[in-house]
Amino acid sequence: MSTEKKLQHIVIVGGGFAGFLLAKRINPEKFRVTLVDRKNFHAFPPLFYQIASSGLEPAAICFPFRKELRKLRHVRFHMGEALAVDTQKQILTTNTGNINYDYLVLATGTTNNFFNMPELRERVYTLKSTAEAIRLRNEILFCLERACTCADPESRRTLLCFTVVGGGPTGVEIAGALGEMKKYILSREYPEISPCDMRVVIVEGSDRLLQNMSTEASTKSRQYLEQLEVEVITGHTMKSFDGTYVSFDNGDKIKCHTLIWTAGITGEPLKGIPETSIGKGRRIVTDEYNQVVGCENLFAIGDIALLTEKTIPKVTRK
């Protein structure tokens, strides 16, 4: 125990890819580590769409932090939600207690950006966590079961209309999974439903899907979705959703029961981070070493970090 007290204390907030891998790779002879997360398990976000479409069970992409960290004697896990940081006193405040640190690393990721439409939070389905993926899965299955017993054709078509807003990787993946469900699964497992009654729409505001990827990737993803009878709408943005109708900037409307939102992300910096250290998208501005600009002993990594340096100097390892 005395040896542990001599080691400097690194606190990492967030057990996603960046935070979790960093905790495992820190030198145990120089530092002790506390990993803080509001959940006690790590998940694999790229496969959330598989949970939502019933392709995988949650246990297939989740595992407990403590099971993975038990062999690392220098790492401790603290389950709690980070609320604020005092950068002068070097104290992290969580809903389960305060933690003193020598170095604080923020790896909190990002959350959904509703672009000044806060009412969407209660009306749409999102895919930023295992819980959200399970919620969407339950909704999809509920709609299919309800459609099986629905006598009114219009109501049945509304139940079976799934609109995906956002043509990035997550939007393309969940739209594709729904398209596969329509083309390959519906007739086999839901014979009461005609595949013609199920409608899958994906909407992207820019001129192509997967805007941040190659033109080839955009073209092939669109071709694949269209082969699955997914309707692809590009160059138009959603203006509102009242729970029944999705309205677009060109005046068009789609009547649907389920809207899946994958359109944007934003950071949620901790209280106590100076506003001068927060940049575009509410992400935390760092230097080339991931140190938060204007703060000592405070670092940000992963999606929450905004690295604006154009050149990164060569670092000599000692």
Side-chain angles (χ1 to χ4, degrees):
M1 196 69 181
S2 59
T3 303
E4 184 176 296
K5 290 183 178 179
K6 295 178 183 178
L7 300 178
Q8 289 189 301
H9 187 202
I10 298 177
V11 176
I12 302 172
V13 182
F17 289 140
F20 184 63
L21 291 176
L22 176 63
K24 294 173 65 176
R25 295 179 182 179
I26 288 176
N27 189 340
E29 296 181 0
K30 295 183 178 181
F31 303 98
R32 61 187 179 95
V33 180
T34 298
L35 178 64
V36 180
D37 199 288
R38 53 190 166 194
K39 305 180 297 293
N40 64 349
F41 61 90
H42 174 82
F44 190 73
L47 290 181
F48 284 156
Y49 82 98
Q50 288 277 17
I51 303 300
S53 59
S54 301
L56 290 174
E57 287 297 316
I61 66 165
C62 301
F63 59 83
F65 284 123
R66 293 186 181 278
K67 182 178 180 180
E68 184 70 14
L69 298 175
R70 63 189 177 189
K71 296 180 181 179
L72 303 176
R73 300 300 182 186
H74 67 297
V75 182
R76 295 290 182 267
F77 176 69
H78 179 108
M79 183 173 174
E81 182 175 1
L83 302 176
V85 58
D86 187 326
T87 58
Q88 299 300 315
K89 297 180 180 179
Q90 298 190 181
I91 298 174
L92 174 71
T93 300
T94 77
N95 63 340
T96 49
N98 293 342
I99 307 174
N100 294 86
Y101 65 85
D102 293 302
Y103 298 97
L104 178 64
V105 181
L106 302 177
T108 51
T110 54
T111 188
N112 297 294
N113 186 351
F114 294 111
F115 299 105
N116 298 317
M117 293 182 284
E119 70 278 3
L120 294 182
R121 192 179 301 274
E122 304 300 323
R123 297 175 182 170
V124 305
Y125 291 81
T126 50
L127 274 173
K128 293 293 286 183
S129 69
T130 306
E132 291 178 9
I134 294 172
R135 176 173 174 260
L136 177 55
R137 180 194 66 183
N138 293 343
E139 175 66 10
I140 293 170
L141 295 177
F142 169 80
C143 289
L144 293 174
E145 295 296 345
R146 281 289 303 275
C148 288
T149 59
C150 182
D152 180 61
E154 183 179 353
S155 298
R156 183 168 59 251
R157 284 192 292 269
T158 301
L159 280 167
L160 294 174
C161 182
F162 301 92
T163 302
V164 180
V165 178
T170 302
V172 169
E173 287 165 348
I174 188 60
L178 288 168
E180 290 175 348
M181 185 178 293
K182 173 182 178 177
K183 190 168 184 177
Y184 302 117
I185 297 175
L186 207 62
S187 59
R188 185 179 70 227
E189 298 191 11
Y190 296 90
E192 302 93 338
I193 301 174
S194 168
C196 296
D197 285 340
M198 183 172 175
R199 185 183 184 190
V200 183
V201 183
I202 182 169
V203 183
E204 165 59 34
S206 66
D207 60 351
R208 62 186 177 95
L209 301 175
L210 302 179
Q211 180 68 29
N212 294 325
M213 298 187 183
S214 67
T215 303
E216 181 183 9
S218 298
T219 301
K220 288 188 175 181
S221 64
R222 180 167 191 145
Q223 290 173 348
Y224 179 70
L225 290 177
E226 290 176 343
Q227 288 171 5
L228 295 174
E229 300 180 5
V230 174
E231 299 175 39
V232 181
I233 300 173
T234 55
H236 294 289
T237 58
M238 191 197 87
K239 303 304 293 183
S240 66
F241 177 58
D242 61 7
T244 303
Y245 287 95
V246 187
S247 301
F248 299 98
D249 57 359
N250 62 352
D252 289 348
K253 291 186 177 182
I254 294 176
K255 188 176 183 180
C256 78
H257 183 81
T258 306
L259 190 147
I260 303 168
W261 183 267
T262 65
I265 59 173
T266 184
E268 286 187 320
L270 288 181
K271 182 180 179 181
I273 303 292
E275 280 295 324
T276 53
S277 302
I278 299 174
K280 184 179 179 180
R282 300 295 292 167
R283 295 162 70 195
I284 301 173
V285 181
T286 72
D287 63 16
E288 65 269 30
Y289 303 104
N290 283 99
Q291 181 168 342
V292 176
V293 172
C295 298
E296 293 185 3
N297 303 332
L298 181 60
F299 297 81
I301 60 175
D303 288 348
I304 190 63
L306 180 61
L307 180 59
T308 57
E309 293 291 331
K310 294 183 178 180
T311 59
I312 300 176
K314 183 178 179 180
V315 178
T316 303
R317 293 182 179 271
K318 295 183 178 180

